[in-house]
Amino acid sequence: MTPPATPVGRRRVRQQALPGLLPLVAAAGTVAAVLVWLLVREPGASIRLGYAAGPVAMAAAFLACHRIGSMIIVARPVRAFWRLYSHSAICVGIGATVSFGLSNNRPGISPYVAGPMLLGAVLLMLGFLQLPREKRSMLRWAQILLDGATVAVAGALIFWYVLLQLAPPGIDTLTQWGAAIVGVGGLIALVVIGRAAMSPASVVDPASLRILTAAPFTGVVASVLLIVGGETGRLWLSVLAVPTVGAAMTLAAYRQQLVLGRPDGAAKPAGGRSVYQALPLVAVIATAALVVSVSARQLDAGPRVVIVGAVLIAAFVIARQLLGRRANDRILDGVRRQQAELEHLAMHDPLTGLANRVRFGAVLGERLDAHLASTVLLVDIDDFKMVNDTMGHAVGDQLLYEVGQRLRQHSAVTHLPARLGADEFAVLLDTDEPDEAEAAATHVLAALAVPFRVGEHQLLAHASVGVALAGPGDSADEMLRNADIAMHEAKAGGKASWARFEPRMRHEVVNHARLGSELHNAIIRHELHLVYQPVFDLVTGRMAGAEALVRWNHPTRGTVAPNDFIGVAERSGLIVPLGSWVLREACEQLAAWRAEHGDTSITSINVNVAARQLRDPGFVDEVAAVLAETALAPENLVLEVTESSVVDGRQVRATLEALHSLGVRLALDDFGTGQSSLSLLRAFPVDVLKLDKSFVDGICEGEDRGRLAVAAAVAQLTEYLDLYAVAEGIETAEQLERLRRMGYRLGQGYHMAKPLPPAEMAALMVRTATATVAA
């Protein structure tokens, strides 16, 4: 979709254009000042003041062109073009400074002035030649060279035979030829500009190119008048030419800056044929007129008729070619417009109008190749999937568009905001200072924290930002990977924050990836096993159930802690096959205990379930199948879920309701640590609350009255709601006694029993059952 124009976008254009307007005002001011000086100057007064405007105007032109050449948001060919133009401004400025030093109104141009200005014209043409061009055959290149040669030869003939002949007597030969060379150079520059402006691959704004033609055109006119003009005409051109060139260059740069500030800032190819492409034809006509003029004065009637006839035939042939090419030009115009649109689409995101991953990577790669300071901010919208799921993809797309415009508005001119895909954005900074990069990340987070108005909705779009600074030898892909690693670190730290990449993060990611691969093999090779932590009746002392806990004996690493591989399993998706194995293994073990020990066996087994398992539409069927295969009743299975899993979406809620309807009991693990615990009891089917260990730790001897109050409140809550309460992490006899007095019936912890292998678990189970009966 085409991004609509918004007040935010227009405001950013104005913010970008304001600094570029100052050089334009300065250059235009020099032209106005010179005109006022010419009008009020008294005859015979010094002319030095008039020449002072030239260096000032060219300084303004240099600043305007250099500013675009230093923007990283601008395509590399455009930057190179404007950098060369800034160098050209320096050369012309040197010539203007020499003119200021000489301050004379003599005919012609001094070699000391003509040299720098001719070099400026050469740099100007090189700038155009560096722009992207369509592929050309040798025949096409020959045509272009012949056009330039035609203009150069015709201009040289006219200057040599006509203008130099009309020059005042006594004029210095070097100054005459200096003016002539500058004039011919200007004519050639006009041809180059015309060709570049009509190129279908042009990336510079065509209107800016047309404005820039004022520079060589002014040079040509000034060269002519400085040879054949009178004293007044020479003075006016001498003091006005350079300020006019400077004003044209600043105006073209300002126009280019306005185009770059638009959401679709790519250059559009010019339509129709450029008048500057007609210069070779004008040169031919001028030369033909010169031939007719010379023949009229120096030849007899017979040869004169032949020459005039030959000239007419050449004119007829040229007219025929022009008419024949008109239809072709129209077709080419359409092709050029389509090509420009395709190139823009290839480098920009169609939804937001920002640069896409291709352009962002290309600009970043260019900066790294040039050893320029670079920093990448990778911006990922937190919980964006929830917006799509609850409000629809249309609202989600509009939110992404607004996020893109917010990033565009709050990015400096020298920064490049981009949308890399989905809800992932990036900003390229021209710095490698950690403080500046972190300040930019903070600024982005603050900008996105302001609510977005999307249709009738007010939406928040918090983000996690990864910051990666360019290091020695880093490539564009490596920097993006580093920023992505840092962004996930920010998400793991609680979201809505930023994290700066550190080498240890990469090592952790590599280790996690390696561990994930080894875990995959461990499931296949049966390196995993279960241990069981008993759940006791705190009143009778009998074992009421057990929680199944997975353990991993790695062949080379030894025992791998659950905290090290459970997170890897969740991030890699291995939690689904791992959870399926645990579920089946635990149910089979309970069935074996019940078959072997009968009434002395525990009645239920607790199995932890991850959110990713609950999101699987087939999970309920899997549970039902395992229960059927192991001949267990649904009430023999207790599935433990965390609060974060429960609020994971509609699919999770539907799964929990289906499991409860099946008869499986549900336990809310780590109860009391989340922000919405009480609301969950109303919204979801819950049978068991497991009080988190952090509350059990502080209930003795008045250590923490707040924890004591929460523990007591949970006991009363479960009694009122007819739920079971299980206290986790009981480590002392004092804690056990305090919990029993509070009303807790069930508990588990190292004070009563550590996680045990199946055989030891069975022995303890029988022993506690026998002791209870004996008592």
Side-chain angles (χ1 to χ4, degrees), residues 257-615:
Q257 220 171 300
L258 290 179
V259 172
L260 292 172
R262 299 170 183 168
D264 57 344
K268 308 280 190 307
R273 288 184 58 80
S274 171
V275 66
Y276 306 105
Q277 287 186 291
L279 281 176
L281 301 179
V282 173
V284 171
I285 294 172
T287 306
L290 183 61
V291 170
V292 172
S293 174
V294 171
S295 64
R297 287 184 293 172
Q298 299 182 5
L299 297 178
D300 296 333
R304 190 186 309 158
V305 172
V306 172
I307 290 176
V308 171
V311 169
L312 288 175
I313 291 174
F316 296 153
V317 171
I318 291 173
R320 175 66 180 85
Q321 289 178 335
L322 290 175
L323 293 175
R325 291 178 60 183
R326 186 174 182 81
N328 292 338
D329 291 337
R330 291 177 178 175
I331 296 174
L332 285 175
D333 289 341
V335 172
R336 288 165 182 165
R337 282 192 294 270
Q338 292 178 357
Q339 183 176 356
E341 292 173 0
L342 291 175
E343 290 177 353
H344 180 75
L345 290 174
M347 291 294 178
H348 292 78
D349 173 56
L351 176 65
T352 62
L354 299 178
N356 61 10
R357 181 180 290 271
V358 174
R359 186 183 174 201
F360 188 87
V363 175
L364 176 58
E366 291 170 7
R367 291 190 64 80
L368 294 175
D369 291 342
H371 305 289
L372 298 175
S374 303
T375 293
V376 171
L377 304 183
L378 192 65
V379 184
D380 189 85
I381 307 302
D382 294 331
D383 303 318
F384 177 75
K385 181 176 181 295
M386 188 176 297
V387 176
N388 274 342
D389 290 345
T390 58
M391 309 187 75
H393 288 274
V395 174
D397 286 349
Q398 187 63 27
L399 176 60
L400 290 176
Y401 171 77
E402 295 296 339
V403 169
Q405 303 316 302
R406 189 77 60 85
L407 287 177
R408 186 197 297 273
Q409 175 193 7
H410 289 273
S411 295
V413 175
T414 54
H415 299 168
L416 176 63
R419 182 187 177 212
L420 303 186
D423 60 337
E424 194 172 74
F425 295 82
V427 181
L428 177 58
L429 313 179
D430 59 342
T431 182
D432 55 5
E433 293 295 329
D435 291 344
E436 294 182 13
E438 293 171 3
T442 303
H443 182 68
V444 167
L445 289 176
L448 296 180
V450 179
F452 291 86
R453 182 72 180 180
V454 180
E456 299 177 354
H457 309 284
Q458 285 280 112
L459 300 179
L460 287 175
H462 294 300
S464 299
V465 179
V467 182
L469 279 67
D474 281 350
S475 66
D477 288 340
E478 288 172 334
M479 283 199 67
L480 285 170
R481 282 198 300 270
N482 293 345
D484 187 66
I485 292 171
M487 181 269 293
H488 282 95
E489 185 82 4
K491 283 188 178 293
K495 301 181 180 180
S497 61
W498 60 264
R500 182 159 63 88
F501 174 79
E502 298 175 6
R504 64 163 181 84
M505 296 179 183
R506 182 188 292 120
H507 298 321
E508 291 174 359
V509 170
V510 172
N511 289 336
H512 286 172
R514 184 181 296 115
L515 194 62
S517 175
E518 294 174 355
L519 179 59
H520 176 270
N521 295 332
I523 297 173
I524 299 174
R525 297 170 182 171
H526 307 291
E527 296 174 5
L528 303 172
H529 67 279
L530 295 183
V531 295
Y532 301 87
Q533 183 167 33
V535 177
F536 289 93
D537 187 315
L538 301 183
V539 176
T540 66
R542 181 169 181 168
M543 194 182 299
E547 180 179 356
L549 302 171
V550 64
R551 296 292 185 265
W552 181 9
N553 287 328
H554 194 280
T556 58
R557 296 174 183 256
T559 300
V560 182
N563 289 341
D564 292 338
F565 69 84
I566 293 298
V568 173
E570 290 177 343
R571 285 191 293 271
S572 63
L574 289 173
I575 195 67
V576 174
L578 177 60
S580 297
W581 177 83
V582 171
L583 174 66
R584 182 172 295 277
E585 185 75 9
C587 288
E588 289 177 351
Q589 185 61 66
L590 177 61
W593 284 333
R594 290 171 63 83
E596 182 177 355
H597 301 289
D599 293 340
T600 61
S601 170
I602 58 176
T603 58
S604 63
I605 192 76
N606 292 28
V607 176
N608 291 282
V609 178
R612 195 151 183 175
Q613 293 175 271
L614 297 174
R615 289 199 298 267

Side-chain angles (χ1 to χ4, degrees), residues 210-280:
R210 296 191 187 98
I211 295 170
L212 288 174
T213 57
F217 182 78
T218 300
V220 173
V221 174
S223 299
V224 172
L225 291 182
L226 288 174
I227 295 175
V228 301
E231 183 175 352
T232 301
R234 287 199 308 271
L235 177 61
W236 277 65
L237 260 297
S238 296
V239 296
L240 272 176
V242 176
T244 302
V245 170
M249 294 175 70
T250 53
L251 178 60
Y254 179 70
R255 161 73 188 187
Q256 177 72 76
Q257 220 171 300
L258 290 179
V259 172
L260 292 172
R262 299 170 183 168
D264 57 344
K268 308 280 190 307
R273 288 184 58 80
S274 171
V275 66
Y276 306 105
Q277 287 186 291
L279 281 176

Side-chain angles (χ1 to χ4, degrees), residues 36-65:
V36 171
W37 175 81
L38 287 170
L39 293 174
V40 302
R41 170 182 170 270
E42 296 181 0
S46 173
I47 61 175
R48 181 175 293 273
L49 185 61
Y51 283 97
V56 176
M58 296 317 300
F62 167 78
L63 292 175
C65 298

